[in-house]
Amino acid sequence: MTDARDDKYDDLLDAIAEGEGYYIECDNGHGSLPPRLACPQCGSQDISEEPLPDSGEITTHTTVTVPTPQFEDDAPYVTAIADFGPVSVTGQIRDAEPEDVETGDVVGIGVGETVTNEERLIVFEPR
Amino acid sequence: MSDPRVAGIGLTHFGKHPERTGRDMFAEAGLAALDDAGADPDDVEALYYGNFMGELAEHQGHQGPLMAEAVGLDVPATRYESACASSGVAVREAVKTVRNGEADLVLVGGAERMTNIGTAGATDALSIAADDLYEIRAGMTFPGAYALMARAYFEQHGGSREDLAEIAVKNHEHALPNEHAQMRQEITVEDALDAPIIADPLGLYDSCPITDGASAVVVASEEYAEEHDLDAPVAVTGTGQGGDKMALQDRQYHARSPATEDAGEEAYADAGIGPDDVDFLEVHDCFTIAEVLALEGLGLYEVGEAIGAAGRGETTRHGDLPVNLSGGLKAKGHPVGATGAAQVVSITKLLEGRHQRADDVPDATTALAHNAGGTVASATVHVLEVQE
Ligand SMILES: [Zn+2]
């Protein structure tokens, strides 16, 4: 890991932290996350930033008990994919016991920190 | 257009060899393959070499020329990196080159040194096959990614940890007589279910081990094999490769592998066969759920049906469609960059009747090798057929 910012990715996290998350939408309605110059689904370069819907729905999740060293002190933790409609996002679930997490749960999105290295990451909070 | 022949094969033992360098392991496999081929090494025109984590495990990049010199070859050598599909992709390049007439004799294979960096180090190194920004930073591990796929499969199609355990039990049983295999002990469904969970719903026995090893294959044109009287009855008659979005979040499906579907369709068409013609196959079972997704992606089962195949006995060595007679990645081991070419080695031995499990497929003529990278953002499929 370097200390350099990852522009566009870190810009998105800044925006999510402010409650102003966004995603990239192409003229065919495909959603994706930055940095993008072209739509990963159809290749269209006619893309724009659109507001990320306020809540998403958990489509799948796992409780990781054997982590990488970057998450040594975080485990066990729940990593999930949440469907926000035009775009899906991967993040960690906060404020919920692992055994209580279920697919279909409605979550909001935010930015948290890892316990191990205090690195920023995308988190989901049950609604 | 004639079909390239598998003229020679070589494997190291797959297991824990933390003290062995990659170059030492590939030299053993490569020289064994050249010896097995019985061809003049001076005739070899190129090396195609698969490796994934050499920079992290051995602080070694630019491994192509290093591996060529390790086997005593002075030829152009290129390393292919497509995560766990690295040597599957290398095999595809070798086959295409020989088939195109650009070379008559090439060496292809791969190696991976993994256990020297420990479980945490290997978990870290394996994770970089995922999207760093949007997956790794959210704590996704390699087992975690397949756990997300397994849960999605269970929710959409049903299935249970018991069904997955049956796959582990089968592949362990298959590996018992395989002297190259890392795990040669029989396990029960209860053993698998009682093992520690690493990323639920996947437990330790749903996962392939961390493995050191190397594999190599000599590929010859049909003309070269005939001219030099090589004993090479097995041909690669079809090759296919598919791709998908890097991150699971960007895919339409979490419980299907479109890259496998695309690679399979291309390979079947290339060989002029269909799923019904396959006698047995080696698939990329880095996790038990991956075997299920592979069998469905290859059109051998309807979507949602392969989860019970091992439990029903259909994919055991006594079943109609034996899967992973070598023990698969699960029991034979998964030295990442060596796996794709190692599958070709196992299949060739089975078709030629010189594998410990060859008696289970005595009349087989047609087999598939399915190799996958990451969460199947890369996949290769090769069709191997006996020609004589
Ligand atoms: Zn688009």
Short mmCIF file of all heavy atoms in Angstrom, two decimals, chain A residues 4-5 8 18 20 32 36 47 67-68 77 100-101:
data_model
loop_
_atom_site.label_atom_id
_atom_site.label_comp_id
_atom_site.label_asym_id
_atom_site.label_seq_id
_atom_site.Cartn_x
_atom_site.Cartn_y
_atom_site.Cartn_z
N ALA A 4 -0.32 7.41 -1.29
CA ALA A 4 -0.95 8.27 -2.30
C ALA A 4 -2.46 8.03 -2.34
O ALA A 4 -2.93 6.93 -2.12
CB ALA A 4 -0.35 7.97 -3.68
N ARG A 5 -3.18 9.10 -2.59
CA ARG A 5 -4.63 8.95 -2.77
C ARG A 5 -4.91 8.15 -4.03
O ARG A 5 -4.11 8.15 -4.96
CB ARG A 5 -5.26 10.33 -2.96
CG ARG A 5 -5.87 10.95 -1.73
CD ARG A 5 -6.39 12.34 -2.06
NE ARG A 5 -7.68 12.32 -2.74
CZ ARG A 5 -8.85 12.24 -2.09
NH1 ARG A 5 -8.88 12.13 -0.79
NH2 ARG A 5 -9.99 12.27 -2.76
N LYS A 8 -10.71 9.60 -7.48
CA LYS A 8 -11.98 9.08 -7.97
C LYS A 8 -12.53 8.01 -7.02
O LYS A 8 -13.68 8.08 -6.65
CB LYS A 8 -11.88 8.57 -9.41
CG LYS A 8 -11.52 9.69 -10.39
CD LYS A 8 -11.54 9.25 -11.84
CE LYS A 8 -11.13 10.41 -12.75
NZ LYS A 8 -11.07 10.03 -14.17
N GLU A 18 -19.96 12.03 3.39
CA GLU A 18 -20.77 13.25 3.53
C GLU A 18 -22.25 12.99 3.30
O GLU A 18 -23.06 13.93 3.27
CB GLU A 18 -20.29 14.31 2.52
CG GLU A 18 -18.87 14.80 2.74
CD GLU A 18 -18.73 15.60 4.03
OE1 GLU A 18 -19.63 16.41 4.32
OE2 GLU A 18 -17.74 15.38 4.75
N GLU A 20 -23.36 11.92 0.47
CA GLU A 20 -23.65 12.34 -0.91
C GLU A 20 -23.04 11.37 -1.92
O GLU A 20 -22.38 11.77 -2.89
CB GLU A 20 -23.12 13.77 -1.14
CG GLU A 20 -23.89 14.79 -0.32
CD GLU A 20 -23.24 16.17 -0.32
OE1 GLU A 20 -22.15 16.33 -0.91
OE2 GLU A 20 -23.83 17.09 0.28
N SER A 32 -22.15 1.69 -12.45
CA SER A 32 -20.85 1.17 -12.05
C SER A 32 -20.22 2.17 -11.09
O SER A 32 -20.79 3.22 -10.82
CB SER A 32 -19.94 0.94 -13.27
OG SER A 32 -19.69 2.17 -13.94
N ARG A 36 -14.18 5.45 -13.89
CA ARG A 36 -14.63 4.90 -15.18
C ARG A 36 -14.52 5.96 -16.26
O ARG A 36 -14.94 7.11 -16.05
CB ARG A 36 -16.10 4.47 -15.10
CG ARG A 36 -16.42 3.41 -14.09
CD ARG A 36 -15.94 2.04 -14.52
NE ARG A 36 -16.27 1.04 -13.51
CZ ARG A 36 -15.80 -0.20 -13.53
NH1 ARG A 36 -15.00 -0.59 -14.51
NH2 ARG A 36 -16.12 -1.05 -12.59
N ILE A 47 -21.18 8.88 -20.12
CA ILE A 47 -21.45 8.52 -18.73
C ILE A 47 -21.55 9.77 -17.86
O ILE A 47 -21.00 10.81 -18.20
CB ILE A 47 -20.36 7.58 -18.17
CG1 ILE A 47 -18.98 8.24 -18.25
CG2 ILE A 47 -20.36 6.26 -18.91
CD1 ILE A 47 -17.85 7.41 -17.64
N PRO A 67 -8.81 -13.93 8.11
CA PRO A 67 -8.63 -12.72 7.31
C PRO A 67 -7.23 -12.61 6.72
O PRO A 67 -6.34 -13.42 7.03
CB PRO A 67 -8.81 -11.62 8.36
CG PRO A 67 -8.19 -12.22 9.60
CD PRO A 67 -8.42 -13.72 9.52
N THR A 68 -7.03 -11.58 5.90
CA THR A 68 -5.68 -11.21 5.49
C THR A 68 -5.06 -10.39 6.63
O THR A 68 -5.78 -9.93 7.51
CB THR A 68 -5.72 -10.35 4.20
OG1 THR A 68 -6.46 -9.16 4.50
CG2 THR A 68 -6.38 -11.11 3.06
N TYR A 77 -15.62 -10.61 10.77
CA TYR A 77 -16.42 -9.48 10.26
C TYR A 77 -17.29 -9.98 9.12
O TYR A 77 -17.01 -11.03 8.54
CB TYR A 77 -15.51 -8.34 9.80
CG TYR A 77 -14.49 -8.75 8.75
CD1 TYR A 77 -14.82 -8.79 7.40
CD2 TYR A 77 -13.19 -9.12 9.12
CE1 TYR A 77 -13.90 -9.19 6.45
CE2 TYR A 77 -12.27 -9.53 8.17
CZ TYR A 77 -12.62 -9.55 6.83
OH TYR A 77 -11.71 -9.96 5.90
N ASP A 100 -27.14 -12.37 12.82
CA ASP A 100 -28.41 -11.70 12.55
C ASP A 100 -28.52 -11.18 11.11
O ASP A 100 -29.58 -10.73 10.69
CB ASP A 100 -28.60 -10.51 13.51
CG ASP A 100 -28.76 -10.98 14.96
OD1 ASP A 100 -29.15 -12.15 15.14
OD2 ASP A 100 -28.48 -10.18 15.87
N VAL A 101 -27.41 -11.22 10.38
CA VAL A 101 -27.42 -10.68 9.01
C VAL A 101 -28.10 -11.67 8.07
O VAL A 101 -27.81 -12.87 8.10
CB VAL A 101 -25.98 -10.41 8.53
CG1 VAL A 101 -25.98 -9.94 7.08
CG2 VAL A 101 -25.30 -9.38 9.43
#
